[in-house]
Amino acid sequence: QVQVVESGGGLVQAGGSLRLSCTASGLTFDDYAMGWFRQAPGKEREGVSCINISGGATYYADSVKGRFAISRDNAKNTLYLQMNDLKPEDTAMYSCAAGRYAYCTGSWSSVWMYNYWGQGTQVTVSS
């Protein structure tokens, strides 16, 4: 049974930083690209970032470029999202997902590109 579990969310002031983690089990972690998504109340789920199986290629939403960094440790079956210079508009439930393929493609921000999802971890940024 595949399990995807996020952690690291919390309440932070604008300009602060958080590091999210996501651990996946029940699958061969380094066979799949991994992604981070977020959903704010009343808004659609938004693709934040994607990383391919080796970590050699990463993709970001324009809204987080230069502030967020995705990485993975295949030996630990863990995905990370370092979030710096956080803004109130970053407030959302953040979820990670295991992709259907080894590489992020042009459709990396589409939910249908991912097979397995975690429950999410809440990030709240106060102004």
Side-chain angles (χ1 to χ4, degrees):
Q1 182 179 358
V2 176
Q3 285 191 316
V4 179
V5 180
E6 303 91 341
S7 62
L11 174 63
V12 64
Q13 287 188 331
S17 298
L18 282 174
R19 189 193 196 200
L20 305 184
S21 299
C22 167
T23 301
S25 59
L27 53 74
T28 305
F29 184 77
D30 53 7
D31 277 353
Y32 302 100
M34 296 293 295
W36 284 101
F37 285 75
R38 66 185 182 186
Q39 188 167 22
K43 294 188 177 181
E44 291 189 357
R45 188 174 292 185
E46 172 191 23
V48 174
S49 186
C50 181
I51 187 168
N52 71 359
I53 54 174
S54 68
T58 57
Y59 299 77
Y60 296 94
D62 288 343
S63 57
V64 306
K65 278 181 183 176
R67 300 188 298 121
F68 290 12
I70 190 171
S71 61
R72 64 190 295 162
D73 185 336
N74 289 339
K76 295 182 179 179
N77 282 18
T78 302
L79 176 74
Y80 302 100
L81 185 69
Q82 178 66 44
M83 306 186 295
N84 299 324
D85 190 23
L86 282 160
K87 303 176 180 181
E89 51 263 42
D90 294 319
T91 295
M93 181 70 75
Y94 284 71
S95 301
C96 77
R100 295 181 183 274
Y101 310 108
Y103 299 96
C104 310
T105 68
S107 299
W108 70 267
S109 61
S110 299
V111 296
W112 59 265
M113 288 290 292
Y114 300 85
N115 266 331
Y116 304 105
W117 294 80
Q119 293 296 310
T121 185
Q122 178 67 37
V123 172
T124 302
V125 184
S126 63
S127 56

